[in-house]
Amino acid sequence: MTHLQILKSPVELSLSDYAMSGEPIVNQIRLLRDVSGIFINQEALSDLNPETPVYSVQAWLPVQEGTPGGLFFGVSTIMSGKVDNEYFMTKGHFHAKSDRAEFYWGVKGKGMLILMDRDRNTWAEEVYPGSLHYIAGEIAHRLANTGNENLVVGACWPSDAGHDYEQIASSGFSARLLEIDGKPQLFETES
Amino acid sequence: MTHLQILKSPVELSLSDYAMSGEPIVNQIRLLRDVSGIFINQEALSDLNPETPVYSVQAWLPVQEGTPGGLFFGVSTIMSGKVDNEYFMTKGHFHAKSDRAEFYWGVKGKGMLILMDRDRNTWAEEVYPGSLHYIAGEIAHRLANTGNENLVVGACWPSDAGHDYEQIASSGFSARLLEIDGKPQLFETES
């Protein structure tokens, strides 16, 4: 009988903080200056260091973006912070291939997953260690950190989903997550 | 300004053992009598209780199976045990829509992910807490528990992947994972 190979996968996760390691991992960081346009109070921004990290993403993209049938796996870390009373958050996006879904799951910290459908109805789901979120196709999604430590969220999405950041960059979400009376509240900004 | 809704997702994971809870969760358990055909030593099977649990699966299937663009999320638990010197393992399958990929990640325990391509080349990857595995399309996959405690593995896969169990049920994998000299070794069974 022939012995066959027992290998190690090229990627590991630290289960405590979901840090990803291994040669194929790609890393991306977004500073305040990269995402300044997403916050409502532009005046308050000028008091903050534009080099402040707002969020980072690690991902394993084992196939080329756009490949049908493949999957990507990533970890988003949103730092704790606010611009005036608006929490640090991700830019948010629809998927370019817009029926593609995504799973998010909370690993550390606390926050909100802000969701908006194509009719611009916005709502949110609480993110906390162990919360599991199904983001259906056609739903824009954004993460905000409402706590005092990093918010860490695992993610898995189709390799042909792509990202449509444009629509959110130009029209935003129809609601803002603000800290009012010490707690996060979601306010509609369109009537 | 109008207050918008902040909801909880209907599903939670226990991050320590990945137990899934919530109304939408489906549970499946496979007993030795359900999977007896997958083990090589059928004589050794007769000494074991056919009601012995071999593995269980919990899953959240937020859309109908077959829906394009959606995703499913699940947790597989393979119990510790052997039939003669062959480890407890899952049935294994190709995806019915065979280019569909899947991610597995080790959460607890130790084991092997046994992989086989369409040309019946078989190999394995070590599964341990934090190991992350990309299972490309066209690759059959099976989990075996090589340790003394439950092996727990998270999984995310496309909602239109489906399962083709038939090919493995009729022809098996081209290799067997056996305990030899106290450690798992993968032996080719076809020349």
Side-chain angles (χ1 to χ4, degrees):
Chain A
M1 288 198 296
T2 313
H3 259 76
L4 297 179
Q5 273 197 300
I6 295 177
L7 308 169
K8 277 205 164 194
S9 169
V11 175
E12 282 185 4
L13 286 171
S14 157
L15 288 178
S16 58
D17 63 359
Y18 260 57
M20 297 178 80
S21 56
E23 186 269 320
I25 297 305
V26 293
N27 294 281
Q28 199 177 47
I29 188 153
R30 297 292 182 196
L31 308 177
L32 206 44
R33 65 174 159 79
D34 301 318
V35 296
S36 57
I38 66 178
F39 296 101
I40 196 167
N41 190 335
Q42 292 290 310
E43 212 176 288
L45 264 176
S46 58
D47 297 333
L48 300 171
N49 183 344
E51 302 299 312
T52 307
V54 178
Y55 62 98
S56 64
V57 179
Q58 291 195 292
W60 185 14
L61 318 175
V63 295
Q64 186 121 31
E65 175 129 26
T67 304
L71 293 171
F72 293 157
F73 192 104
V75 178
S76 294
T77 301
I78 299 92
M79 284 64 179
S80 176
K82 281 180 289 189
V83 176
D84 187 15
N85 64 346
E86 189 170 29
Y87 301 100
F88 276 13
M89 59 184 170
T90 63
K91 289 197 286 184
H93 59 271
F94 286 98
H95 288 153
K97 202 167 171 83
S98 62
D99 70 343
R100 283 352 193 202
E102 184 158 358
F103 269 107
Y104 276 175
W105 58 103
V107 176
K108 266 180 98 88
K110 64 176 186 173
M112 292 284 172
L113 170 58
I114 304 169
L115 299 160
M116 183 176 74
D117 67 20
R118 291 283 177 186
D119 296 326
R120 301 188 62 74
N121 298 304
T122 298
W123 69 102
E125 289 184 1
E126 287 177 42
V127 182
Y128 53 92
S131 65
L132 179 64
H133 308 269
Y134 184 67
I135 303 161
E138 312 294 351
I139 304 292
H141 39 290
R142 151 179 285 175
L143 286 163
N145 184 341
T146 62
N148 298 316
E149 56 170 335
N150 284 353
L151 172 67
V152 181
V153 175
C156 187
W157 68 102
S159 54
D160 61 354
H163 295 89
D164 170 9
Y165 290 108
E166 284 315 300
Q167 197 163 144
I168 298 301
S170 61
S171 311
F173 282 67
S174 69
R176 296 267 171 192
L177 187 73
L178 304 175
E179 184 173 273
I180 307 283
D181 300 332
K183 62 177 193 182
Q185 300 190 43
L186 188 65
F187 291 101
E188 201 161 20
T189 50
E190 296 171 4
S191 59
Chain B
M1 289 197 296
T2 313
H3 261 74
L4 297 180
Q5 273 198 300
I6 294 178
L7 308 169
K8 277 205 164 196
S9 169
V11 175
E12 281 184 4
L13 286 171
S14 157
L15 288 178
S16 59
D17 63 359
Y18 261 57
M20 298 179 77
S21 57
E23 187 268 321
I25 297 304
V26 293
N27 295 280
Q28 198 177 47
I29 187 154
R30 297 292 182 196
L31 309 177
L32 206 44
R33 64 173 160 79
D34 300 319
V35 296
S36 58
I38 66 178
F39 296 101
I40 196 166
N41 190 337
Q42 292 290 308
E43 213 176 287
L45 264 175
S46 58
D47 297 333
L48 300 170
N49 183 343
E51 302 299 313
T52 307
V54 178
Y55 61 97
S56 65
V57 179
Q58 292 196 292
W60 184 16
L61 316 175
V63 294
Q64 187 121 30
E65 175 130 24
T67 304
L71 293 171
F72 294 158
F73 191 105
V75 178
S76 294
T77 301
I78 299 91
M79 284 61 179
S80 176
K82 281 179 289 190
V83 176
D84 186 14
N85 64 346
E86 189 171 28
Y87 301 102
F88 276 14
M89 59 185 171
T90 63
K91 289 198 284 184
H93 59 271
F94 287 98
H95 287 153
K97 201 166 171 84
S98 62
D99 70 344
R100 284 351 195 199
E102 182 158 0
F103 268 107
Y104 276 176
W105 58 102
V107 176
K108 265 180 99 88
K110 65 178 184 171
M112 292 283 171
L113 170 59
I114 305 169
L115 300 160
M116 182 176 74
D117 67 20
R118 292 283 177 187
D119 296 325
R120 301 189 60 75
N121 298 303
T122 298
W123 68 101
E125 289 183 1
E126 288 179 42
V127 182
Y128 52 92
S131 65
L132 179 63
H133 308 270
Y134 184 67
I135 303 161
E138 314 293 354
I139 304 292
H141 39 288
R142 151 181 284 175
L143 287 163
N145 184 340
T146 61
N148 299 315
E149 57 170 334
N150 285 352
L151 171 67
V152 181
V153 176
C156 187
W157 69 101
S159 54
D160 61 355
H163 296 87
D164 169 9
Y165 290 109
E166 284 314 300
Q167 198 164 143
I168 299 301
S170 61
S171 312
F173 282 65
S174 69
R176 296 268 169 188
L177 187 73
L178 305 176
E179 184 173 273
I180 307 284
D181 300 332
K183 62 177 193 184
Q185 301 190 43
L186 188 65
F187 292 101
E188 202 162 16
T189 52
E190 295 172 4
S191 59

